[in-house]
Amino acid sequence: MYCFRMKMMVSGWAGRLARPSRHQFSHLTSRLITKDAAARHLTAGPQHQHHICAKALYTAHPPLTSPAASRGLVFGGKVLREPARCLHTGEGKHDQSSSSSNACSATCESTVVRDVLEYWSRTLAAADVPEAHLAAQHIVAHVLGVTRSKVQSDGTAATTLTGKQVEEVERMMMCRLERMPLQYILREWDFHGITLKVVPPVFIPRPETEQLVELAITTLKQLEAPKPRVLEFCCGSGAISLALLHALPQVECVAVDQSRHAVRLTEANAAQLGLEERLTVVMGKVTVDARPPLPHNTYDFMVSNPPYVLRKDLMELQPEIMMYEDLRALDGGKDGLEVIKAVLHQAHHLLLPGGRLLLEVDPCHPYLLPAWLEKQNLDLKLVKIHQDFGKIGRFMEFMKNP
Amino acid sequence: MEGKVGSEVRAEKGVSEIKPEVKIMRQILQIGFSQTKTHFLHMREFCLTCKHVASQPQRTISHLYNNRSATLPRLYRTILRQSNERARLISNYTVNRGISKSSQLENYEALSLENVEVQKYLRKLREEHRAALHGEDEASTQAARSQAPLMRLLDQVERLWSDIEELCALAESNEGDKEMQDMAREELQEVKTKLYGLQEEVLCALIPEEVMDDRTVVVEVSAGVGGQEAMLFCQDVFNMYLSYVQHRGWQEEVTEYETTDIGGLRHGSIVVSGDSVYSSLKYEGGTHRVQRVPKTEKAGRVHTSTVSVAVLPQPLEIDIQLSEKDMKMETKRASGAGGQSVNTTDSAVRIVHLPTGLSVESQSERSQHHNKDKCLKKLRALLYQQQLDNNTQNYNSNRKLQVGAKGRSEKIRTYNFPQDRVTDHRLGVSMHNLATFMGGTDTFHDLVSQLVEEGHRETLQEIIYGIKT
């Protein structure tokens, strides 16, 4: 079944540009998680086949246990035959995966945590899902409402799941089999000092960005302003702004994003963390010569993790990102600099003299940007390029000339 | 146990017929009592191991010590009088136990201001102070300032001494009337009590404050030798510390609690913070031995198992400076493009401290930043422990209590359930009623304060006699 859907997906986007096809996938995504709500936000026209598949997934609670399931899926009285060959995994792998699900159907019926973990790590691994073991642990821990380290301990591993919990685990594992990012499945993830809600299709914060926050905190601590005003472009889930507000009680933030989902999620996260009083969220697109109306005319500090992936790299992303995340949050145009240039132009207008701008960029940008900056008539100069933990130049610090 | 008692009774009969031997024994006994407290403690410890304990009323050792001449229970005397052989045994025993290694310390007299050594030391301090006052540089003025309170105390002491001299002269002089003499004597008594109080203060002031006394500590309890039984006892010990911490009103947070199926505890740790946490708990580190019939035992045999306790003070950030270039950080994050184009959930972090080669790892948190923080904390604690170990090695190795401060390998205490007693091997003190003791309240606190007191005394000894290896 998984391979069947993959084939449709692959044929769905192959040969097209990533952007238009994305909407179909995000439609699917929302069906997977919330039956009704998400469909309202996303407007792309449903494709019939995708629709069926999504529904099939959603209702397929213990699909692998029935004998029919190992051959294909009984759906609406009609058996959907598995395709003979899977594009993604190849035939050999496919056979292996179906046979392993046959073999495991007995263990799957066990509701002991240890067996459930074992079964699903094997199933996920067989389906080539990366970090299979970790995902299984995270999901079971989430359903049990305990920490992951506790799931590993003997005491918890010997307990049994209730029927409802088994169902929940199965639903989540099916999502993971469909390569939905774990963060979306759990609907929350930790970032720096806070726990954020993450909802598809809003961009999931990456660990590199935690380093960006660290750098921003160091810079903000050196500022003399008693109540520094911070502006963040492309806020996504609000991760950077909220982490800063959480760490530094004197800071006020304005967060801007063009996506309605992102803006809503940022607001929801702010409310959940009790930080909404110091955060203003603005919806609007930032370009070289236009920006949405902002509450202040000048800012002490700016920070941004703009879309910076080069368009040629977009086609090689993991399925997790490709199918589920809003690609507008990653697509930086041909050279990955489209939004970065816009942010720099806006920084020229909005930063106070001596104010700093911190950007997360693609590793090739530290080579490209200085040359471009020289040609522009901007009041900014490059101060430093910071490396990430992989020793790659990832963060660029600019300063507005005093 | 009964058999042993019987044999001793027989031995006693045999001994009592031979009179000269009893005489010798009495002499030994007298020598023993004129010896120090420590020696006395060893004897008592020995008596306890002879298992004559069950019949003894519950008394603290200081109580016994203070009334040693008057109310020493008959039983001890009879045991001690038995033979010369026994006396040899005693000394052998104490030597084997490693307790009397501190022979230098053993023969000390109770410290007081009259002690020559103490006076010598105080005089030295005074001279130093005077020198520091005359000194011009920053360090000496600071030293002078820190010594000022002590010097004020010493001034008072000297005034009292001169008072005493005058009063003595007055009281003993034949001139003057009887009334005057009586008054002088009364006053002398008063001044002496005052002096006594002051003496305590001076001695307290001599003990340098340890920097770490109020530091937050981690108490780690882990099951040692003895399998399931050790784990069961481990849980008891863990609960004992937990309730003691609550009894003292400290803040506690249980960070690790690794249980086993039948209710034992493999490993547990509590983070404790509050006033003088480290100074009270530092002597708890070491191996705790339990002797009892385990729940799991069918034949009713007594088992011996151990639980090890470590008390680690937590370093502040300023104690251990870590610089970025000394550390190599490794993540599971895929090499290559990274950033936005990769979405992974493995947030494990490993940090290698290059100068020492220590490596720490954390993967329990979902955020990489948290994991890194945890790694750094662990690394700091490890480096701090190394530093402390190095420091303690420089200390005098004769210190009895050091066992608790340094190694975690030596046996410090035995909990004997059949005899319902707990024995601290460093003090040689035994206490009864294990249930109350393990409740972690007043009885346990008594032992803790005795250990702290003993620790103070040893520190003082070291300072005054300047014993250094």
Side-chain angles (χ1 to χ4, degrees):
Chain A
M1 173 193 70
Y2 153 65
C3 302
F4 179 39
R5 218 169 70 69
M6 275 307 296
K7 185 182 180 183
M8 288 196 300
M9 270 176 194
V10 172
S11 63
W13 58 257
R16 291 191 217 170
L17 262 182
R19 205 181 293 199
S21 66
R22 149 83 261 110
H23 290 285
Q24 292 145 18
F25 298 135
S26 55
H27 175 73
L28 184 73
T29 308
S30 52
R31 295 289 302 186
L32 273 170
I33 298 194
T34 43
K35 278 180 191 156
D36 42 354
R40 266 187 270 131
H41 308 314
L42 298 152
T43 47
Q47 281 197 346
H48 185 61
Q49 282 176 315
H50 284 166
H51 205 85
I52 288 174
C53 265
K55 243 178 150 178
L57 248 184
Y58 207 79
T59 48
H61 277 319
L64 297 175
T65 47
S66 71
S70 61
R71 305 279 326 127
L73 208 82
V74 185
F75 190 71
K78 188 178 147 202
V79 178
L80 301 177
R81 303 285 290 183
E82 278 181 314
R85 195 182 141 78
C86 176
L87 274 184
H88 200 71
T89 54
E91 199 169 27
K93 275 264 170 60
H94 161 67
D95 281 348
Q96 201 184 354
S97 108
S98 81
S99 70
S100 85
S101 61
N102 256 339
C104 290
S105 57
T107 18
C108 184
E109 275 160 17
S110 159
T111 53
V112 179
V113 172
R114 189 183 291 118
D115 300 337
V116 172
L117 271 178
E118 165 81 27
Y119 168 75
W120 281 111
S121 348
R122 243 187 310 145
T123 314
L124 291 178
D128 265 1
V129 175
E131 298 170 343
H133 192 56
L134 205 65
Q137 283 178 350
H138 271 299
I139 287 174
V140 173
H142 183 80
V143 170
L144 284 171
V146 298
T147 57
R148 187 169 63 90
S149 46
K150 193 137 188 236
V151 167
Q152 289 166 293
S153 75
D154 288 352
T156 319
T159 55
T160 54
L161 296 169
T162 63
K164 235 184 181 167
Q165 284 171 332
V166 171
E167 249 171 58
E168 186 72 359
V169 166
E170 250 157 40
R171 186 181 69 75
M172 288 181 162
M173 295 292 182
M174 290 312 285
C175 290
R176 188 67 195 118
L177 270 179
E178 294 301 323
R179 304 298 288 268
M180 183 188 272
L182 186 62
Q183 295 96 328
Y184 283 160
I185 297 173
L186 305 183
R187 320 219 69 187
E188 60 166 37
W189 202 252
D190 294 341
F191 178 83
H192 206 261
I194 53 181
T195 302
L196 289 171
K197 266 167 70 171
V198 278
V199 177
V202 181
F203 181 76
I204 300 164
R206 309 284 200 260
E208 279 86 352
T209 312
E210 288 183 323
Q211 264 186 303
L212 180 69
V213 170
E214 280 291 291
L215 288 173
I217 288 174
T218 330
T219 319
L220 277 169
K221 275 184 180 161
Q222 288 163 355
L223 280 186
E224 280 154 19
K227 273 192 171 181
R229 282 204 297 249
V230 178
L231 175 63
E232 184 197 355
F233 283 136
C234 315
C235 64
S237 56
I240 301 176
S241 289
L242 293 170
L244 287 178
L245 290 175
H246 179 79
L248 304 164
Q250 76 279 17
V251 168
E252 280 177 19
C253 271
V254 177
V256 182
D257 203 296
Q258 60 168 329
S259 150
R260 198 193 301 134
H261 307 299
V263 167
R264 278 189 196 155
L265 184 59
T266 303
E267 277 167 353
N269 271 324
Q272 191 172 310
L273 293 162
L275 297 168
E276 70 268 40
E277 273 178 22
R278 291 185 283 138
L279 179 72
T280 317
V281 190
V282 177
M283 191 173 107
K285 195 169 167 65
V286 180
T287 59
V288 170
D289 30 45
R291 60 167 184 265
L294 298 173
H296 310 286
N297 290 327
T298 53
Y299 292 87
D300 298 292
F301 178 70
M302 280 174 66
V303 61
S304 179
N305 176 19
Y308 59 69
V309 179
L310 281 65
R311 193 160 284 155
K312 70 173 170 58
D313 296 334
L314 266 189
M315 301 306 286
E316 286 148 29
L317 294 175
Q318 297 165 252
E320 278 88 350
I321 302 171
M322 182 70 106
M323 297 196 297
Y324 294 91
E325 282 187 289
D326 190 344
L327 287 191
R328 287 180 301 168
L330 290 100
D331 180 11
K334 193 172 170 243
D335 53 1
L337 285 170
E338 214 167 73
V339 187
I340 292 176
K341 283 173 183 169
V343 171
L344 283 167
H345 271 277
Q346 294 305 333
H348 166 73
H349 297 297
L350 290 166
L351 269 184
L352 280 170
R356 308 219 167 197
L357 162 70
L358 260 178
L359 284 180
E360 186 180 322
V361 296
D362 191 83
C364 72
H365 291 157
Y367 303 101
L368 298 176
L369 261 184
W372 174 83
L373 193 64
E374 256 176 38
K375 279 185 241 153
Q376 306 297 311
N377 195 14
L378 293 180
D379 239 358
L380 293 169
K381 77 163 191 268
L382 178 63
V383 181
K384 200 178 169 189
I385 297 162
H386 302 270
Q387 290 183 329
D388 67 5
F389 41 72
K391 302 281 174 226
I392 303 172
R394 174 75 63 190
F395 313 104
M396 296 181 82
E397 187 176 346
F398 297 90
M399 190 175 80
K400 175 146 181 186
N401 297 328
Chain B
M1 183 176 140
E2 273 176 22
K4 221 167 191 178
V5 173
S7 73
E8 260 143 29
V9 170
R10 248 176 281 125
E12 202 181 335
K13 265 183 195 166
V15 167
S16 56
E17 284 160 15
I18 310 157
K19 281 203 169 172
E21 285 226 6
V22 174
K23 229 181 223 169
I24 295 166
M25 200 48 228
R26 278 211 185 111
Q27 279 171 357
I28 291 175
L29 203 64
Q30 270 161 10
I31 295 165
F33 286 161
S34 64
Q35 283 280 333
T36 59
K37 179 177 176 180
T38 347
H39 197 101
F40 175 80
L41 292 179
H42 296 159
M43 287 189 164
R44 188 184 139 90
E45 156 82 39
F46 179 76
C47 298
L48 290 172
T49 35
C50 289
K51 300 183 181 175
H52 284 276
V53 199
S55 57
Q56 285 310 303
Q58 190 182 340
R59 281 172 200 273
T60 65
I61 192 68
S62 29
H63 180 202
L64 277 174
Y65 180 62
N66 292 336
N67 305 323
R68 60 190 167 183
S69 47
T71 62
L72 187 72
R74 260 199 86 209
L75 191 62
Y76 295 144
R77 281 187 230 173
T78 46
I79 297 159
L80 290 170
R81 272 178 207 176
Q82 279 171 18
S83 66
N84 247 333
E85 178 65 9
R86 184 57 53 84
R88 197 177 60 77
L89 269 179
I90 292 175
S91 61
N92 270 357
Y93 177 74
T94 48
V95 168
N96 290 340
R97 294 294 312 282
I99 303 173
S100 62
K101 268 187 210 153
S102 51
S103 51
Q104 274 169 296
L105 299 181
E106 201 176 297
N107 297 319
Y108 74 85
E109 294 158 43
L111 281 178
S112 69
L113 290 175
E114 276 98 53
N115 188 310
V116 188
E117 292 286 338
V118 175
Q119 287 186 3
K120 217 198 271 173
Y121 182 71
L122 290 179
R123 228 172 293 134
K124 203 180 103 206
L125 272 184
R126 250 176 200 275
E127 270 158 31
E128 274 174 20
H129 182 62
R130 223 164 281 143
L133 275 180
H134 290 300
E136 310 242 308
D137 55 302
E138 188 74 18
S140 58
T141 37
Q142 214 162 36
R145 206 175 301 141
S146 66
Q147 283 174 334
L150 182 64
M151 291 305 135
R152 243 172 279 137
L153 275 177
L154 289 182
D155 284 341
Q156 281 183 37
V157 171
E158 261 168 34
R159 228 172 295 135
L160 284 179
W161 268 335
S162 61
D163 280 1
I164 287 174
E165 256 172 54
E166 273 175 35
L167 287 166
C168 276
L170 205 65
E172 277 159 29
S173 65
N174 295 327
E175 299 162 26
D177 51 274
K178 201 141 182 43
E179 227 171 275
M180 273 293 277
Q181 280 185 5
D182 283 346
M183 268 172 70
R185 250 178 235 127
E186 251 171 58
E187 209 173 322
L188 191 65
Q189 211 58 46
E190 248 171 64
V191 173
K192 271 187 178 164
T193 27
K194 231 189 204 170
L195 183 67
Y196 188 74
L198 215 53
Q199 171 179 314
E200 294 280 295
E201 257 179 76
V202 171
L203 291 180
C204 274
L206 281 180
I207 297 170
E209 252 178 62
E210 274 202 55
V211 200
M212 297 184 304
D213 279 356
D214 288 330
R215 202 57 77 68
T216 299
V217 299
V218 178
V219 180
E220 282 185 1
V221 185
S222 357
V225 188
Q228 199 69 58
E229 156 69 357
M231 289 178 199
L232 285 171
F233 186 65
C234 182
Q235 191 165 38
D236 294 346
V237 172
F238 187 83
N239 289 338
M240 177 177 84
Y241 285 121
L242 202 59
S243 47
Y244 180 61
V245 167
Q246 281 156 0
H247 175 71
R248 289 286 297 261
W250 291 326
Q251 285 175 338
E252 108 280 333
E253 187 198 337
V254 177
T255 50
E256 276 172 89
Y257 196 78
E258 214 180 298
T259 49
T260 60
D261 294 343
I262 70 153
L265 180 71
R266 191 166 297 156
H267 179 82
S269 58
I270 328 171
V271 178
V272 189
S273 52
D275 277 348
S276 58
V277 170
Y278 184 65
S279 58
S280 312
L281 290 178
K282 63 179 161 190
Y283 302 119
E284 293 302 313
T287 301
H288 296 233
R289 183 174 71 168
V290 62
Q291 293 170 322
R292 66 176 174 186
V293 183
K295 272 185 206 165
T296 47
E297 166 72 40
K298 299 262 158 44
R301 283 170 298 200
V302 175
H303 285 212
T304 300
S305 19
T306 62
V307 163
S308 60
V309 175
V311 178
L312 309 169
Q314 288 305 93
L316 301 179
E317 285 200 14
I318 43 163
D319 291 334
I320 301 290
Q321 294 280 1
L322 291 172
S323 76
E324 283 285 329
K325 66 175 193 307
D326 283 348
M327 293 182 296
K328 202 174 99 194
M329 182 171 152
E330 291 165 14
T331 60
K332 293 276 173 65
R333 197 100 166 112
S335 53
Q340 292 178 350
S341 41
V342 180
N343 180 12
T344 52
T345 49
D346 194 338
S347 50
V349 173
R350 206 171 98 102
I351 292 180
V352 181
H353 189 242
L354 297 172
T356 55
L358 284 173
S359 95
V360 284
E361 218 180 299
S362 170
Q363 49 182 17
S364 58
E365 299 291 330
R366 289 194 295 200
S367 141
Q368 195 168 297
H369 175 74
H370 273 176
N371 276 333
K372 188 183 165 194
D373 255 16
K374 272 194 157 179
C375 278
L376 289 178
K377 264 197 193 138
K378 271 192 211 167
L379 187 61
R380 278 213 183 86
L382 279 176
L383 289 171
Y384 194 50
Q385 198 58 41
Q386 270 194 352
Q387 204 173 308
L388 286 183
D389 284 352
N390 287 344
N391 286 348
T392 34
Q393 267 169 21
N394 298 336
Y395 277 165
N396 180 4
S397 59
N398 281 335
R399 285 179 69 173
K400 280 185 289 173
L401 292 177
Q402 201 196 343
V403 173
K406 183 184 73 181
R408 282 171 286 287
S409 55
E410 266 173 273
K411 183 182 69 190
I412 59 158
R413 202 175 289 159
T414 294
Y415 303 76
N416 189 313
F417 280 76
Q419 292 167 27
D420 196 24
R421 73 165 158 89
V422 54
T423 304
D424 192 281
H425 300 301
R426 294 158 300 177
L427 290 176
V429 172
S430 283
M431 288 175 153
H432 296 270
N433 202 343
L434 261 176
T436 348
F437 184 84
M438 302 283 293
T441 50
D442 294 328
T443 334
F444 184 74
H445 183 65
D446 277 351
L447 187 67
V448 169
S449 5
Q450 279 187 49
L451 282 165
V452 171
E453 223 173 84
E454 184 68 23
H456 276 177
R457 211 185 348 260
E458 278 192 1
T459 320
L460 210 55
Q461 287 283 323
E462 245 169 52
I463 292 170
I464 286 164
Y465 292 108
I467 303 165
K468 287 265 154 32
T469 42

